[in-house]
Amino acid sequence: MNNLEIIKSERGRDLIVYQNYSFYKEKHVNDGVKWRCTHRGCLSKLYLDECSKVIFRCELIHNHEKPLNLPRKMISNSAKRKAADQGIYQPLKIIREEIVNAPVELTQLLNSKDINRIRKNIYHEHRKNYPILPKSLNDTHDTISKLEIKTNIDEDFLLDNNSAYNIIIFSIEKNLKYICEKNDYFCGWHIFTLPKILLSNVHTTYSSQ
């Protein structure tokens, strides 16, 4: 793998992969940018233009083996970006697509532990798009109050968030008015723990006539 490729580190910093070794941006020099091998104590360096696309000098004197986790890191970073862009949690589908599109020399080095690690990384990236799960009733009310909950036609769907009586109602006024006009109701309950919540659903019949 002699082509340059830019990936993200675990901390979100740019890394360059060249000949299956990774390099971090060290500093700007007169002719461009100096990149140094990420392995501690290795003196290998790359000198690239300002756009980090063309190598005009290299000093490859690696004193260590090629990092075994680099293929996993490259595929994992690409999969995490795709998971964040799509917003839909489909880790196995994303992993399959990334493996199919990745160079063969990378995918041949993957094992089952790497796949599990990539799947976990996708999950954690996906969770960043959502608030932290509440651990108490107060946390639940605080979390709900920070969310902008809309219907598919952009109506406010949070009708009441009463922390004093621990009541949260998801509906719109039109639905409540319709229910008030009916005599028959169908109710269902679900109990959630951590925190313990009783969820009640109220239904009635509907006719378009």
Side-chain angles (χ1 to χ4, degrees):
M1 183 178 176
N2 294 325
N3 295 328
L4 286 174
E5 184 167 349
I6 297 179
I7 66 172
K8 292 289 184 181
S9 69
E10 297 295 335
R11 297 182 179 180
R13 299 172 59 184
D14 285 339
L15 296 178
I16 278 184
V17 177
Y18 182 67
Q19 295 185 353
N20 286 328
Y21 291 95
S22 58
F23 298 79
Y24 69 92
K25 183 187 292 185
E26 185 177 35
K27 63 180 180 179
H28 286 268
V29 294
N30 292 335
D31 299 326
V33 182
K34 176 183 176 182
W35 296 73
R36 183 181 289 273
C37 180
T38 56
H39 186 82
R40 185 184 297 272
C42 182
L43 300 179
S44 296
K45 296 178 284 291
L46 293 176
Y47 295 86
L48 280 73
D49 65 333
E50 288 290 345
C51 297
S52 298
K53 293 183 179 180
V54 178
I55 299 176
F56 60 82
R57 191 164 93 247
C58 60
E59 301 173 9
L60 302 180
I61 47 176
H62 295 288
N63 58 1
H64 58 94
E65 298 293 331
K66 295 178 180 180
L68 297 178
N69 66 339
L70 188 57
R72 186 200 71 214
K73 184 180 293 185
M74 294 177 67
I75 294 177
S76 178
N77 288 337
S78 179
K80 286 193 298 183
R81 288 195 298 270
K82 183 171 291 186
D85 293 339
Q86 290 182 355
I88 300 176
Y89 187 55
Q90 296 178 321
L92 295 181
K93 179 181 178 181
I94 293 175
I95 292 173
R96 283 196 299 268
E97 291 176 352
E98 292 303 316
I99 290 178
V100 169
N101 295 327
V104 176
E105 59 266 30
L106 285 183
T107 58
Q108 288 178 338
L109 300 175
L110 294 176
N111 54 42
S112 59
K113 291 183 178 180
D114 291 328
I115 299 300
N116 287 333
R117 179 67 68 86
I118 293 172
R119 181 178 57 81
K120 290 180 181 179
N121 289 341
I122 293 175
Y123 170 77
H124 290 303
E125 184 68 25
H126 180 75
R127 285 294 310 161
K128 293 179 182 180
N129 297 326
Y130 298 91
I132 298 176
L133 292 176
K135 297 181 179 180
S136 67
L137 290 174
N138 288 334
D139 288 346
T140 302
H141 288 289
D142 290 340
T143 300
I144 292 294
S145 65
K146 296 175 183 178
L147 297 178
E148 186 177 354
I149 304 173
K150 299 283 188 177
T151 66
N152 61 341
I153 56 175
D154 204 34
E155 298 173 297
D156 290 328
F157 194 58
L158 178 60
L159 194 63
D160 192 18
N161 183 19
N162 192 318
S163 58
Y165 293 96
N166 285 327
I167 295 175
I168 302 173
I169 302 176
F170 295 104
S171 185
I172 58 176
E173 292 187 5
K174 182 172 61 178
N175 288 349
L176 294 185
K177 291 179 180 178
Y178 182 82
I179 290 176
C180 290
E181 298 173 356
K182 297 296 179 178
N183 296 321
D184 298 323
Y185 305 94
F186 304 91
C187 299
W189 291 270
H190 303 276
I191 297 178
F192 296 87
T193 56
L194 297 176
K196 190 171 183 180
I197 297 174
L198 175 64
L199 176 64
S200 174
N201 300 315
V202 181
H203 306 274
T204 186
T205 58
Y206 171 78
S207 174
S208 60
Q209 297 179 353

